[in-house]
């Protein structure tokens, strides 16, 4: 079954067109695209999606709509999911109308819990080696961070606990990190904010034996730890990193200016100004776990959306006619 999945977050909008074989449990990419549009710019302060941010996002949606048509995806097999920025915006209806006009499908605004569940489905299902349980999936976005704790293996593959926290790389940069590079006081305020949210998080992070990290903040950190000459999705996927090295990379990035980060050969220009806040979130989460290694997955919520959509459609097609 060919499906099209769109994940629209606070900083990035991503498209996956894939052929999914539900019975075999396989997914084959046809098209995978990503655009940094920063839809959630200023939402933490204003509670609204900015006009310029909407224009950038709609331009990307028009590109994606053309790709979906080119690869002949049935509209019934297309799913557009929006996350943190749209959940928080007073003018989300305007956004929804614009997407539907261009793509032909209405955006589905995911709850934090559903976002976490799809992050698990997209990442853990495709791991080449079974990690020690309990497994914590960490998905650091621009507006929110999802933590999903669960078990995986031959007999069980499920999330037990999931929670979405309103801390993300864009949100915390706008809230705290105003200097370039951030001052010690700004970093301390950001860390205190992250710690306060983690203190209230119902997920038993301290029980974690294995951590799987997904999405751009963590894959970018991985590129830095690996010392890549350029960002390389294939080299980054499934890498197992020493947690101590991840902490050191986080500290290094926080201490750099935006200009210095842009000089790093693997740094995306759209992430350079917010990576410090994302790194602080990653570091503070890892510090609360018992894990000594971080498994990095390039498969994330986007893959979860595609897999979940294919499963649902397959179940409907398998039902006998009334």
């Amino acid at each position: 079954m060919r499906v099209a999945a769109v994940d629209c977050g606070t900083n990035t909008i991503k498209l996956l067109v894939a052929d999914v074989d539900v019975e075999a449990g396989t997914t084959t990419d046809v098209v995978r695209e990503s655009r940094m549009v920063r839809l959630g710019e200023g939402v933490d302060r204003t509670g609204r999606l900015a006009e310029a941010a909407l224009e950038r996002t709609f331009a990307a949606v028009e590109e994606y709509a053309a790709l979906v048509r080119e690869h002949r995806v049935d509209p019934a097999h297309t799913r557009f999911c929006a996350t943190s920025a749209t959940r928080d915006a007073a003018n989300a209806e305007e956004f929804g109308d614009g997407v539907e006009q261009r793509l032909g499908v209405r955006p589905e605004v995911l709850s934090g819990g559903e976002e976490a569940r799809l992050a698990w489905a997209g990442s853990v299902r495709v791991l080449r080696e079974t990690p020690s349980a309990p497994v914590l999936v960490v998905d650091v976005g621009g507006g929110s961070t999802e933590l999903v704790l669960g078990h995986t293996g031959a007999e069980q593959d499920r999330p037990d606990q999931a929670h979405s926290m309103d801390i993300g790389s864009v949100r915390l940069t706008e809230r705290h990190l105003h200097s370039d590079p951030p001052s010690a006081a700004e970093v301390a305020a950001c860390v205190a904010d992250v710690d306060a949210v983690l203190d209230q998080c119902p997920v038993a992070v301290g029980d974690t034996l294995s951590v799987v990290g997904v999405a751009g903040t963590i894959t970018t950190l991985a590129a830095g730890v690996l010392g890549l000459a350029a960002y390389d999705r294939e080299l980054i996927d499934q890498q197992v990193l020493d947690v101590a090295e991840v902490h050191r990379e986080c500290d290094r990035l926080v201490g750099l200016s935006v200009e210095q980060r842009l000089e790093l050969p693997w740094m995306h220009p759209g992430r350079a100004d917010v990576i410090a806040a994302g790194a602080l979130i990653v570091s503070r989460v890892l510090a609360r776990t018992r894990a000594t290694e971080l498994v990095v997955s390039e498969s994330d919520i986007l893959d979860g959306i595609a897999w979940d959509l294919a499963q649902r459609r397959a179940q409907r097609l398998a039902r006998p006619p009334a």
Side-chain angles (χ1 to χ4, degrees):
M1 181 186 304
R2 179 159 292 185
V3 300
V6 179
D7 168 31
C8 186
T10 298
N11 199 35
T12 309
I13 182 170
K14 297 182 287 185
L15 167 71
L16 173 61
V17 176
D19 292 328
V20 181
D21 187 329
V22 174
E23 288 188 6
T26 60
T27 301
T28 303
D29 289 8
V30 177
V31 173
R32 188 182 287 265
E33 295 285 339
S34 179
R35 304 282 186 273
M36 293 226 177
V37 296
R38 197 153 301 177
L39 175 63
E41 183 177 14
V43 168
D44 189 60
R45 176 178 54 83
T46 66
R48 296 182 59 83
L49 300 170
E51 288 303 316
L54 286 170
E55 289 177 8
R56 293 192 297 268
T57 305
F58 289 154
V61 172
E62 288 174 357
E63 288 184 59
Y64 289 175
L67 287 169
V68 169
R69 290 192 298 269
E70 177 185 339
H71 293 282
R72 300 180 180 180
V73 184
D74 187 326
H77 296 172
T78 301
R79 186 180 185 190
F80 187 113
C81 293
T83 54
S84 178
T86 314
R87 282 199 300 268
D88 298 341
N91 57 336
E93 194 73 14
E94 178 185 352
F95 170 70
D97 291 343
V99 170
E100 187 171 17
Q101 177 184 348
R102 291 164 173 82
L103 189 62
V105 298
R106 193 78 184 174
E108 177 184 346
V109 181
L110 299 177
S111 67
E114 178 70 358
E115 189 174 351
R117 185 185 72 80
L118 291 171
W120 173 278
S123 58
V124 174
R125 188 181 61 82
V126 298
L127 292 178
R128 289 194 285 267
E129 296 186 9
T130 302
S132 299
V135 181
L136 181 71
V137 174
V138 181
D139 182 347
V140 179
S144 65
T145 294
E146 281 64 54
L147 299 181
V148 193
L149 189 70
H151 293 76
T152 184
E155 297 182 357
Q156 51 185 352
D157 187 354
R158 56 180 171 77
D160 300 319
Q161 303 171 1
H163 186 63
S164 180
M165 306 178 294
D166 281 338
I167 50 173
S169 60
V170 174
R171 190 186 297 270
L172 291 189
T173 298
E174 293 180 351
R175 192 180 292 175
H176 298 294
L177 306 183
H178 306 299
S179 302
D180 184 25
S183 68
E186 290 170 347
V187 171
C190 187
V191 167
D193 198 350
V194 175
D195 283 344
V197 174
L198 285 171
D199 286 342
Q200 300 300 315
C201 178
V203 175
V205 176
D207 294 344
T208 303
L209 292 180
S210 302
V211 179
V212 177
V214 303
T217 290
I218 290 177
T219 58
T220 299
L221 287 170
V225 172
L226 296 170
L228 299 183
Y231 190 95
D232 189 320
R233 174 184 172 86
E234 297 301 320
L235 287 177
I236 291 169
D237 188 39
Q238 308 282 322
Q239 283 286 342
V240 181
L241 307 178
D242 183 87
V243 164
E245 292 187 11
V246 177
H247 282 303
R248 285 193 288 272
E249 183 64 16
C250 289
D251 291 342
R252 182 173 81 97
L253 287 174
V254 170
L256 297 179
S257 67
V258 173
E259 183 177 357
Q260 289 171 321
R261 294 177 204 146
L262 286 169
E263 292 175 354
L264 300 170
W266 35 263
M267 181 67 68
H268 191 290
R271 202 174 300 282
D273 61 332
V274 297
I275 191 67
L280 290 172
I281 296 170
V282 173
S283 184
R284 300 311 292 173
V285 172
L286 289 176
R288 295 187 180 222
T289 75
R290 292 186 285 161
T292 58
E293 295 177 331
L294 169 67
V295 181
V296 182
S297 175
E298 283 279 2
S299 297
D300 53 24
I301 186 174
L302 181 66
D303 301 78
I305 294 167
W307 176 254
D308 190 63
L309 171 60
Q311 277 193 313
R312 292 185 186 185
R313 296 301 304 173
Q315 288 168 0
R316 289 179 186 176
L317 292 172
R319 290 175 189 159

